[in-house]
Amino acid sequence: MKGRFRQSMNWLHTWTGFIFGWLLYFIFVTGSTGYFENEIDRWMKPEMTIVNQHIDEYKVLASAEKYLNTLAYNSPEWYISFPAAREPFIGISWLQLADKETNTPREWRAKNLDPINGSSTDVRETGGGRTLYRMHYNLHYVPQVVGYILVSLATMLMLIGLITGVIIHKKIFTEFFTFRSKKGLRAWLDIHNIFSVLPLPFHLMITYSGLLLLMGISMSTVIDTTYGEGKSNHKRFYKEAHSDIKEKKFINLSPENLSLKTVLEDAHNRYKDQRVSYVGLKDRGTKNEHYDIWFDAFEGIESASAVEYRIKDKKVEIEISLGKSGNAASVYDFFEHLHEGLFANTYLRWLYFISGLLGAGMIATGMILWTLKRKKNAEKQQKAKFIALIERVNIGIIIGVPIAIAAYFWSNRLIPVSMATRSDWEVHSLFITLIACVCFCLTRPIKEVWTNMLWLAASVYILLPVLNVFTTEHNIISSVKNSDWLMLGFDLSMLFFGACFAIAAMIIKRKKANAIPIIQSTSLAESCELPPSSLIKEKVV
Amino acid sequence: MILSETVLMILLLICLLMVGFTLLSLSLSRHYRHVTNKRTRLTRKNILMVRFIGYSFLIAAAIISINIWGIVLGLVYGFATTTLVAIVLSAILTFKPRLLSFIPLPLY
């Protein structure tokens, strides 16, 4: 019975992993880039002026207000952002209303301000880090609902894959650190186990919370039964379910004096040890006009809190949000913050990122194992052909996704800044590159595919900082001089990733030179045999 | 000052987990053989001893990190650091096991 249970779990593990394997790999890699959203944003917006000196926030506010008054006089929403640790910029943004006469669409606009002379800079239009990480749940080209449903399904199967994986892994403790690197198929199984078991808490957390985050879509019929179908009914559900507990009180400020400046002053006095990251003015010119303040505090697992200022009964009232009112919403919030890791400092952020990549590695090695196990036993010509095809697409996706992301960065520098649809084309170049990579893998001789792809990946990553030198005024030395740590970190990371790909290519080349038929000649049964050393009679100390 | 304190605490956590997991890995005969290069293995009593000390280090690490960062962040730090330490350790055990041979075993 026990054997049969394990066997059926094994079957389930194999096929749940296989169905969405490529999609899950894409999700894990692009999702991992989300932990460095701000760093990627900084690199993709080289025109931004960084602030690395002390600034007078009130002076900044005054010049920002001056700009907004001329550029966005009829806009209902204004935002002014102050430098934060991972966003050392001063920015203004506003909602531009649609105007048929001048043919302007309704859209968000933003400008970057110089901290010293107060001049404004236009920043190139780019998808930035946000578009890149959002792909991991909206899949970009498909309608939003379809993307969410597909990703939900893939996540569900991923969770099943994780749980069945734990069940079928017989020696989770005795083989915790084991990697028998010279044993063909066994080595692949070992590395698959290492990638899965060591970051298992992360894998379980990220998969479970990912599933939870999309529950509005995957469980939408539950909302239908209680609140009714349709967008407006669902909105009513979200409003009720995610309502905040709010503390309201009147403060000692006369309504005539309520302005951006006084709001900022009051916030500074009220929260002395907090840094303000955003000041917003919403519903401008209406009865409901109010001011918002956000703080740059991700110290705890809770997200940054906000304070709202508005005029009520001829007095100024503030509203402080104190978290979610419902228990379910609190749990949802908790998992959302754990998933996004916005609270993480540099150390945790890198570990989040590495764990995400280990997850991608787990999926990649799983896909490779799938083909290796079947390759040997494929008697029929047709089946062998099919497996060879899967093997090639595997390589195309595993190395192709990182190359495609590099293409996204390349296109940011190469597409003309004046091009209207440049942010769309950044994404197009990502997917075109991915398809090209898969096609390349389908045509090359199988023995050279891995090394070719790895060298290609190494070169596109190593050349990114070089491209940065030629297309902008930024380079590694100038970044050190200006203490532009985000730009420097990005360039160095790209060199590091390129080096990793190059080392991988060299290792594969050397292995091939030493022993060509390792993988082909070792079947699973042989490789699972006990290592000969364990047969030697051991002396007990 | 806060930053450097955090860095010190992270380093402490890494050290505790490193020692704990190294001892646990040495209680497994495969890794013990690779590290010591001897065709011997530990007695049952020694294995239990090594495991006991190893787990004590892990528990100490957990208690310390929960004390510093609170239950939620403490666990996040603990698990994240465990992943890091375990990956480094399995790389050492695979490619350079003799690096760990300075550890005096058997202990008792």
Short mmCIF file of all heavy atoms in Angstrom, two decimals, chain A residues 13 86 110 198 227 246 385 463:
data_model
loop_
_atom_site.label_atom_id
_atom_site.label_comp_id
_atom_site.label_asym_id
_atom_site.label_seq_id
_atom_site.Cartn_x
_atom_site.Cartn_y
_atom_site.Cartn_z
N HIS A 13 3.41 14.18 -8.99
CA HIS A 13 4.51 15.14 -8.94
C HIS A 13 5.05 15.39 -10.36
O HIS A 13 5.25 16.53 -10.77
CB HIS A 13 5.62 14.60 -8.05
CG HIS A 13 6.77 15.55 -7.86
ND1 HIS A 13 6.71 16.62 -7.01
CD2 HIS A 13 8.01 15.59 -8.42
CE1 HIS A 13 7.85 17.28 -7.05
NE2 HIS A 13 8.66 16.68 -7.90
N ARG A 86 15.53 53.57 -1.20
CA ARG A 86 15.71 52.88 -2.48
C ARG A 86 15.19 53.71 -3.65
O ARG A 86 15.16 53.25 -4.78
CB ARG A 86 15.02 51.52 -2.44
CG ARG A 86 15.77 50.55 -1.52
CD ARG A 86 15.05 49.24 -1.41
NE ARG A 86 14.94 48.55 -2.67
CZ ARG A 86 13.85 47.92 -3.09
NH1 ARG A 86 12.77 47.93 -2.34
NH2 ARG A 86 13.83 47.29 -4.24
N ALA A 110 4.66 62.21 -15.10
CA ALA A 110 5.62 62.39 -14.01
C ALA A 110 6.82 63.19 -14.49
O ALA A 110 7.15 63.18 -15.68
CB ALA A 110 6.08 61.04 -13.50
N LEU A 198 16.26 22.98 0.43
CA LEU A 198 16.91 24.01 1.24
C LEU A 198 16.08 25.29 1.34
O LEU A 198 15.96 25.86 2.41
CB LEU A 198 18.34 24.28 0.73
CG LEU A 198 19.24 23.04 0.70
CD1 LEU A 198 20.67 23.42 0.39
CD2 LEU A 198 19.19 22.29 2.01
N TYR A 227 -22.47 38.34 -2.98
CA TYR A 227 -22.60 39.75 -3.36
C TYR A 227 -23.24 39.95 -4.73
O TYR A 227 -23.58 41.06 -5.10
CB TYR A 227 -21.23 40.43 -3.34
CG TYR A 227 -20.75 40.76 -1.95
CD1 TYR A 227 -20.17 39.78 -1.16
CD2 TYR A 227 -20.91 42.03 -1.42
CE1 TYR A 227 -19.75 40.07 0.12
CE2 TYR A 227 -20.49 42.33 -0.15
CZ TYR A 227 -19.91 41.34 0.62
OH TYR A 227 -19.49 41.63 1.89
N LYS A 246 -9.89 52.97 11.18
CA LYS A 246 -9.35 54.33 11.08
C LYS A 246 -9.60 55.11 12.34
O LYS A 246 -10.67 55.02 12.95
CB LYS A 246 -9.98 55.04 9.88
CG LYS A 246 -9.32 54.60 8.60
CD LYS A 246 -9.92 55.24 7.40
CE LYS A 246 -9.14 54.79 6.18
NZ LYS A 246 -9.89 55.03 4.96
N LYS A 385 11.54 11.38 -30.86
CA LYS A 385 11.56 12.69 -31.52
C LYS A 385 10.87 13.74 -30.66
O LYS A 385 11.34 14.87 -30.53
CB LYS A 385 10.83 12.58 -32.87
CG LYS A 385 11.77 12.48 -34.04
CD LYS A 385 10.98 12.60 -35.32
CE LYS A 385 11.89 12.41 -36.51
NZ LYS A 385 11.12 12.19 -37.74
N LEU A 463 27.88 42.64 -21.46
CA LEU A 463 27.92 43.86 -22.28
C LEU A 463 26.93 44.94 -21.83
O LEU A 463 27.01 46.07 -22.29
CB LEU A 463 27.70 43.51 -23.75
CG LEU A 463 28.86 42.77 -24.41
CD1 LEU A 463 28.50 42.38 -25.83
CD2 LEU A 463 30.13 43.61 -24.40
#
